[in-house]
Amino acid sequence: MDLAFRNARVVDGSGGASYRADVAVRDGRIHEIRREGEGRRPSARRVLDADGLALAPGFIDMHAHSDLALLRDPDHSAKAAQGVTLEVLGQDGLSYAPVDDRTLADVRRAITGWNGDGSDIDFDWRSVGEYLDRLDRGHDGRGIAVNAAYLVPQGTVRMHVMGWEDRDPRPEELDRMRELVAEGLRQGAVGMSSGLTYTPGMYAGDGELAELCRVVASYGGYYCPHHRSYGAGALRAYQEMIDLTGEAGCALHLAHATMNFGVNKGRAPELLELLDRALERGADITLDTYPYTPGCTTLVAVLPSWASEGGPQAVLDRLADDDTAERIRHELEDVGSDGCHGVPVAWDTVEISGVSDPGLASFVGRTIEETARTRGETPWATARRLLTDDRLGSTILQHVGHEENVRLIMKHRTHTAGSDGILQGHKPHPRAYGTFPHYLGTYVRELGELSLEECVAHLTSRPAARLRLADRGLVREGYVADLVLFDPGRVAAGSSFEAPRTLPAGIPHVLVDGRFVIEDGRRTQVLAGRSVRRTPREP
């Protein structure tokens, strides 16, 4: 054997009772599991005493925004140090493949706030397959920090075919979108995502989305929508996604599935009842959440959808026109824009977390209302100024969530974990560095909302099942040795809203493909991550 862990508490990802055992690894896979008292212990070139540690499958981040970070940062301790061994990219309908030159330029600009402008990246790909190849090469041909799967982003596909127009596709345009989705799935994508409060994906009607979901279903993938409202129309938006995928016969995974804003305080039971009814009818549904109440997005995302038609430059042109800017303000503050989930914006809940222009750093860490008060102007004047001066590159935290909703949803039988971690900005959301240890430290050990075994299943086998990965997500002989060893009595998120880039405690060892990426609490030089491509079921 290459490696053996002795005396570990194996929390195998199944949700069943943990047990003490020795676990041996050879050639990147779990070769032998010998329970305590079951006979001869496995020998290995290296033996590590894991007494006092839990040994679990590597954690799977079902909603990650590391599309460029994995290529930019070989260390990537933001995820590796949490025990994450696989991230699902291409989220919220906007990412960097499939593209042509025009679409790539547009999408880079549109999601600068999520991933940076990409000026430090060699965009030497255009198709989904080429992007996955680029992940495989990673840094100097040596790979990336952790594994990555990819969703075909529906908004990027629409942008590729139709630009930023708010209209129904012509038949030939819909055919082309179908072709692009199918091509991405054939090349290894695990499904399709949408961002239905982000342009241009939000311009798609249900009929258009259902047609694309039929393609996804035919290849055995799943649909992952950021649906049309997490606020005033949240339950209606969830029902829309259930009905749409039911019609298309497509598996559904609900992204960051929570109930936010004042209108949804205490309403998680209504969401779970809706899901349970669909599951009882035979629907294939899962969801992910992060264990925090604030959300995180870009400042431009809260604007009404009509203000974003035509792309980023069109937004800036509208902001420069006083009459149009007043229309935007009225919809934001008085009506409730679709970009802000149908709820009038409360500027005291909108905190600037990052800016693209370093000269605007004084905005970071303060709400729009606070900054406006110090400047002696209205909150809209402050927001408009920042949008314009930062060329739409600012990110925000929205303090609009409810703890009771978070706790109830995380206990649902379809629940998995997704950090939704945006790694850009001066003051990112702490979920980017802390989601997984926060579940284990706060919601398992301190609050007892989940047992250790149940929580680990949420973080491992459930997402692996959704991704249809036959040899990941469990501590089983023959499975890939993506493993994490943590101290159940000490594991905790180090990140906070005050210090969001602090690494977690109590996770001394993380292995990807049987190789240590975290060893004795420190990042090694190992780059064992690769793209994880699911072989599609041919239609």
Side-chain angles (χ1 to χ4, degrees):
M1 303 294 173
D2 300 320
L3 172 67
F5 297 103
R6 293 270 174 88
N7 308 308
R9 175 185 176 184
V10 176
V11 186
D12 68 4
S14 69
S18 57
Y19 56 88
R20 283 178 64 88
D22 296 349
V23 178
V25 173
R26 185 168 72 188
D27 297 331
R29 291 189 176 265
I30 300 168
H31 190 78
E32 184 177 357
I33 301 171
R34 183 75 64 174
R35 294 193 183 222
E36 187 176 50
E38 285 189 344
R40 182 185 57 80
R41 303 180 112 177
S43 60
R45 284 188 287 275
R46 179 179 177 187
V47 175
L48 191 152
D49 186 0
D51 189 33
L53 298 178
L55 187 152
F59 304 142
I60 298 175
D61 188 342
M62 286 295 286
H63 194 102
H65 288 285
S66 303
D67 306 51
L68 299 185
L70 280 166
L71 298 175
R72 175 183 293 126
D73 177 17
D75 182 84
H76 202 51
S77 286
K79 296 301 179 67
Q82 292 187 62
V84 171
T85 58
L86 172 60
E87 300 184 86
V88 185
L89 313 177
Q91 299 286 350
D92 295 329
L94 290 166
S95 190
Y96 304 94
V99 292
D100 55 16
D101 291 350
R102 173 192 57 80
T103 306
L104 176 60
D106 282 352
V107 77
R108 285 176 61 182
R109 190 172 180 186
I111 53 175
T112 291
W114 294 357
N115 299 309
D117 64 9
S119 58
D120 55 342
I121 300 293
D122 178 10
F123 288 90
D124 58 352
W125 68 83
R126 292 296 180 268
S127 71
V128 169
E130 289 167 348
Y131 174 65
L132 297 177
D133 290 343
R134 181 69 175 83
L135 291 173
D136 288 339
R137 295 195 305 277
H139 299 275
D140 301 322
R142 296 181 297 128
I144 50 180
V146 302
N147 298 309
Y150 190 73
L151 295 163
V152 179
Q154 170 261 329
T156 300
V157 166
R158 199 177 207 271
M159 193 189 309
H160 192 313
V161 175
M162 299 177 60
W164 296 83
E165 296 183 40
D166 182 2
R167 62 173 176 81
D168 291 335
R170 292 185 285 270
E172 65 272 17
E173 291 171 329
L174 184 56
D175 286 344
R176 180 59 179 145
M177 286 191 279
R178 287 194 196 98
E179 290 171 5
L180 288 170
V181 171
E183 181 180 80
L185 292 162
R186 286 195 298 269
Q187 292 171 354
V190 295
M192 181 181 75
S193 75
S194 283
L196 301 179
T197 65
Y198 300 126
T199 54
M202 69 191 308
Y203 298 143
D206 286 359
E208 175 183 333
L209 294 171
E211 286 300 312
L212 299 182
C213 282
R214 287 188 179 93
V215 175
V216 175
S218 72
Y219 284 92
Y222 69 93
Y223 180 43
C224 179
H226 165 130
H227 52 273
R228 297 192 195 275
S229 177
Y230 291 83
L235 288 174
R236 184 169 62 252
Y238 282 113
Q239 187 66 62
E240 176 193 10
M241 296 298 101
I242 292 170
D243 293 344
L244 185 155
T245 50
E247 177 189 346
C250 186
L252 173 64
H253 180 84
L254 295 163
H256 34 63
T258 189
M259 300 281 286
N260 288 337
F261 301 91
V263 294
N264 288 318
K265 183 176 175 61
R267 297 188 70 188
E270 297 175 62
L271 167 61
L272 300 184
E273 182 182 354
L274 184 155
L275 294 176
D276 286 338
R277 286 199 305 268
L279 291 164
E280 288 167 7
R281 295 193 302 267
D284 183 358
I285 302 174
T286 51
L287 58 87
D288 66 64
T289 69
Y290 47 84
Y292 300 87
T293 53
C296 181
T297 187
T298 56
L299 181 57
V300 67
V302 305
L303 302 186
S305 57
W306 60 261
S308 293
E309 185 178 6
Q313 187 56 52
V315 180
L316 292 168
D317 292 343
R318 292 183 180 106
L319 289 169
D321 179 79
D322 289 342
D323 290 341
T324 308
E326 172 57 23
R327 283 183 59 206
I328 295 171
R329 184 213 63 77
H330 171 69
E331 192 156 335
L332 270 173
E333 296 184 348
D334 302 331
V335 178
S337 79
D338 49 4
C340 199
H341 306 275
V343 177
V345 67
W347 292 115
D348 62 340
T349 69
V350 179
E351 177 186 354
I352 302 303
S353 59
V355 291
S356 295
D357 182 349
L360 300 170
S362 62
F363 285 86
V364 175
R366 306 169 74 190
T367 68
I368 293 290
E369 186 173 274
E370 288 172 333
T371 300
R373 191 164 52 244
T374 63
R375 297 174 68 96
E377 61 188 12
T378 66
W380 170 240
T382 297
R384 180 185 177 190
R385 182 192 310 276
L386 181 57
L387 285 162
T388 301
D389 291 351
D390 205 28
R391 309 290 292 177
L392 313 180
S394 305
T395 53
I396 62 172
L397 303 181
Q398 271 189 292
H399 296 270
V400 293
H402 307 286
E403 180 67 18
E404 65 270 34
N405 288 349
V406 170
R407 293 194 194 188
L408 191 59
I409 293 168
M410 73 170 62
K411 291 188 279 192
H412 195 262
R413 65 186 186 277
T414 64
H415 174 265
T416 68
S419 71
D420 199 9
I422 295 174
L423 300 169
Q424 289 293 116
H426 297 74
K427 192 175 181 285
H429 196 302
R431 68 195 185 191
Y433 284 71
T435 287
F436 294 84
H438 194 42
Y439 269 119
L440 295 166
T442 300
Y443 290 94
V444 172
R445 184 179 65 246
E446 295 178 9
L447 298 175
E449 293 288 346
L450 296 164
S451 71
L452 180 63
E453 289 85 353
E454 184 181 11
C455 185
V456 168
H458 289 220
L459 310 184
T460 59
S461 64
R462 287 189 187 176
R466 166 51 72 216
L467 296 168
R468 298 184 180 172
L469 302 176
D471 58 357
R472 297 174 194 264
L474 292 167
V475 179
R476 291 280 191 275
E477 291 179 355
Y479 275 55
V480 174
D482 290 349
L483 299 169
V484 55
L485 287 95
F486 63 92
D487 182 344
R490 291 186 57 246
V491 63
S495 61
S496 66
F497 289 99
E498 294 71 33
R501 287 193 171 88
T502 307
L503 297 179
I507 306 179
H509 305 295
V510 181
L511 292 86
V512 174
D513 196 34
R515 301 166 65 195
F516 284 96
V517 296
I518 301 290
E519 187 172 13
D520 296 323
R522 292 185 172 85
R523 179 71 172 95
T524 70
Q525 298 297 309
V526 169
L527 293 169
R530 298 293 186 272
S531 68
V532 174
R533 312 185 198 205
R534 193 175 69 233
T535 302
R537 180 182 68 209
E538 289 297 332

